Structures are given as structure tokens and as C-alpha cells.
Amino acid sequence: AWLSSDGAALITSGGVRSGGSYYNEDVVDDDEEEGKQQREGGEYILGPFIDNGSSTTASTTSTGGDDQRSKSSCNLASRSVATGELLWRRNVCSTSSQSTYAAYASKDHAMVYTLDSSGSLRGWSDGDGVLMFDVPAPTTTASAATTGSSTAEPKVFGTTVQWGADNVEVIGAVTSADGKDEVVTLYDGSTGASIGTLSAKALLSDAKAKGGGAAKVLGMSNGAVLVGYVKDDGDPIIASSNSMAVVGIQVNTIRTTTTEGEALEASLEVTSANAIKVDGGVKSSMLYGTVQVFDTPDDGKVDIAAVSVGGSAVITMSVDPTS
């Protein structure tokens, strides 16, 4: 869940709460017919609470039951913080058979972005739920996801990136051709226009990160992409801090010539690619599924947190993308 850009509403993604489902039988809205449907079928209304600027995957663990339960996992909803009143709700999946999507919220740009398992990347205004754009994105097929430790669940991240004299929101949709090594396709957060694609494997190689395994996109923050090698050791793990790399990016505008004349296009540039080197090194292995990336606008660093293998410690790192 995220607070809206004006702080007046709580935006919730459908159905996930600490690995399970939270089902509310008693939701009643001002809209009589909608309220009637909710009373009859119920509604998933709460997701995992995470800070704005993070991403999550929403899904349902319901098996069987009425259609309202399974469909509600594709809902994105906004409720008043003061009264709990439903302000808007949108179905963010492309087909009725889907029950999984990823979401990312940008408070600075007053937008929520969703990516469903069919590869539809959508941008929504967080104030009124208006659809701002809907563009196709690459997807990881279920057959590819059966190889290695990856799943076919969508992943979407975002960060503010320098673009000329401006700072713009860039959204990253993550996919994998083989179920192991991932790539991230970047989009303009205002229009949905494609900007470029980055390979996690190539970035880790350029950064001279240590270790091996599947190359994964772990998150985005402060104009940078975090990538890492993930090994399957019973549970997917990251062996140490130097198995990860922080990659700085920026967007340039280039002038091209077409048959219709000159045009301006976005060009993605990698400005730095550095393996993480913490003083003394973080030698503890980290659980891949616990890695979180946070924005710290005041110092421009990428803050990373993860739980150690065995769960005995929380590992934190603050990394400068430029060094």
C-alpha cells in the first residue's frame, strides 16, 4: 500500500498480506450496487504496507470460491485516509484469467504503475485513477520460468533519472528469456514511451561483480539500477555484497532523420557500473527474496537492506552509484 501524493488517500494493491490473503466480508461503499456486490462477494482490500517508491507483486491465494474473490486480486484501489471511503478502484489485469500483477508508486510524480503477466504496462493518476497510458512490455513466459529459480510473476521498478535539464520518472519492466538471466526495459513514466533495455548479466560483467548464478534485476533507486548474481542453494541467495552492482543511468535526447523529416528520440546511457564494495565487505549471504532498495534523495545514495541466510541479521548498505 502507498500514500497518495497529497497524503489524503491510501492506495492498495489486491489481496496480499504477509504471504496470504486478507478477505473483508463487510466492506460497504457509497455506491449502492457496488456495495451490494461487495457484501455478496467480499473484497480484497489490503496489500503489504511498503514505503512509496517501492514495488510489490499482488496476487491471491484463494482456491475456488466465487468469481469476485479471484477477480479482486487484480484490483488497485484508493481509499480516503480520513474516512475509509472508496475513492476509486480499477481492474489492472488484461484478462479475467489473470490474478497477478506488479505495482510501483511514485509520490513525486503522482502516479501508480502496474504491470500484469500479459505484459501490459499501465500508468494511473494516483489522485483519481485515470489511465494515463497503456503500452505493451516484454513478459517472462511460464515455460521459461520453469528453468532455474525464476518465476513468471511480473516485476516493475522505477526511479527518477536525469534527462537533459529535467528529472523524469523512468519505469523498468523486468523479464527473462530463459527464466534465469533478466533484462529490464525502461519507459518514460509520463508517456510510456520505450527508452532502452539493459541486461543484468552484461551489467554485472562490466562492473566486475564476483560470483555466478542467475543475473537478476533487484531494484532501482536514485538514477541507478541494482543488479546481482543469485544462486539457488535450497533458497535463492546472494553470496555477498560484491555479487551485486549499482549501475548509474541517464537519458539523452538525440536528433534523428527519418523519411518524414527530423525527430527527437530518447537514448539510454549507462554512466557507471560498479560492484558493491563495502568497507570490510559484507560477507554474509543474503536471501534474494528479502532484498529491498530505498531512495534517499538527500544524499543521492542507494540504500539496500536484506535478511541474512538463516535470518539472524538484517544487512544494510548505503552505496554511492558513482563510485
Side-chain angles (χ1 to χ4, degrees):
W2 309 270
L3 284 175
S4 61
S5 54
D6 60 7
L10 184 68
I11 301 170
T12 60
S13 55
V16 178
R17 185 184 182 189
S18 299
S21 292
Y22 177 86
Y23 188 65
N24 189 338
E25 300 273 3
D26 303 315
V27 177
V28 179
D29 293 315
D30 292 339
D31 186 290
E32 182 177 351
E33 181 59 28
E34 188 173 50
K36 179 173 180 286
Q37 292 174 357
Q38 290 171 6
R39 288 191 295 274
E40 291 175 348
E43 181 198 3
Y44 289 103
I45 62 170
L46 292 179
F49 187 83
I50 52 180
D51 289 339
N52 169 74
S54 298
S55 60
T56 188
T57 299
S59 62
T60 178
T61 59
S62 173
T63 55
D66 55 65
D67 288 342
Q68 182 70 21
R69 292 193 181 196
S70 60
K71 288 179 182 177
S72 63
S73 63
C74 280
N75 283 344
L76 186 72
S78 176
R79 292 182 178 273
S80 167
V81 171
T83 66
E85 174 190 3
L86 179 69
L87 303 177
W88 56 262
R89 180 169 60 233
R90 301 291 181 264
N91 185 325
V92 299
C93 293
S94 300
T95 67
S96 59
S97 63
Q98 291 177 330
S99 61
T100 303
Y101 70 96
Y104 168 81
S106 171
K107 185 175 181 179
D108 290 342
H109 294 82
M111 293 280 288
V112 180
Y113 304 92
T114 61
L115 176 67
D116 67 21
S117 53
S118 291
S120 290
L121 177 65
R122 298 181 174 98
W124 309 86
S125 168
D126 75 358
D128 50 18
V130 170
L131 179 63
M132 306 303 290
F133 64 79
D134 183 346
V135 298
T139 59
T140 299
T141 64
S143 59
T146 60
T147 63
S149 59
S150 177
T151 70
E153 290 184 349
K155 292 167 60 177
V156 63
F157 301 109
T159 187
T160 299
V161 173
Q162 184 177 349
W163 190 338
D166 300 319
N167 289 321
V168 299
E169 190 73 24
V170 170
I171 303 303
V174 180
T175 188
S176 172
D178 60 3
K180 296 181 180 179
D181 299 325
E182 292 180 341
V183 298
V184 57
T185 304
L186 302 178
Y187 299 85
D188 184 335
S190 298
T191 66
S194 178
I195 296 173
T197 299
L198 297 172
S199 161
K201 187 174 184 178
L203 295 174
L204 286 163
S205 176
D206 291 344
K208 296 180 173 55
K210 305 296 184 182
K216 301 290 186 180
V217 179
L218 305 176
M220 297 170 63
S221 171
N222 277 335
V225 180
L226 178 67
V227 291
Y229 286 119
V230 177
K231 294 182 177 180
D232 194 346
D233 188 22
D235 290 316
I237 67 167
I238 298 171
S240 66
S241 62
N242 58 17
S243 294
M244 298 185 289
V246 174
V247 180
I249 58 174
Q250 70 178 31
V251 181
N252 301 315
T253 301
I254 60 174
R255 189 179 302 274
T256 62
T257 302
T258 68
T259 56
E260 299 178 355
E262 289 190 340
L264 298 178
E265 294 184 358
S267 174
L268 180 64
E269 179 184 357
V270 173
T271 58
S272 60
N274 300 299
I276 296 178
K277 298 177 181 178
V278 180
D279 290 343
V282 177
K283 303 186 185 304
S284 298
S285 297
M286 293 158 271
L287 293 170
Y288 162 62
T290 67
V291 175
Q292 294 289 321
V293 184
F294 306 94
D295 272 334
T296 50
D298 292 340
D299 61 10
K301 292 184 178 180
V302 177
D303 284 347
I304 306 162
V307 176
S308 66
V309 173
S312 61
V314 174
I315 299 168
T316 61
M317 291 168 274
S318 186
V319 183
D320 185 342
T322 63
S323 62

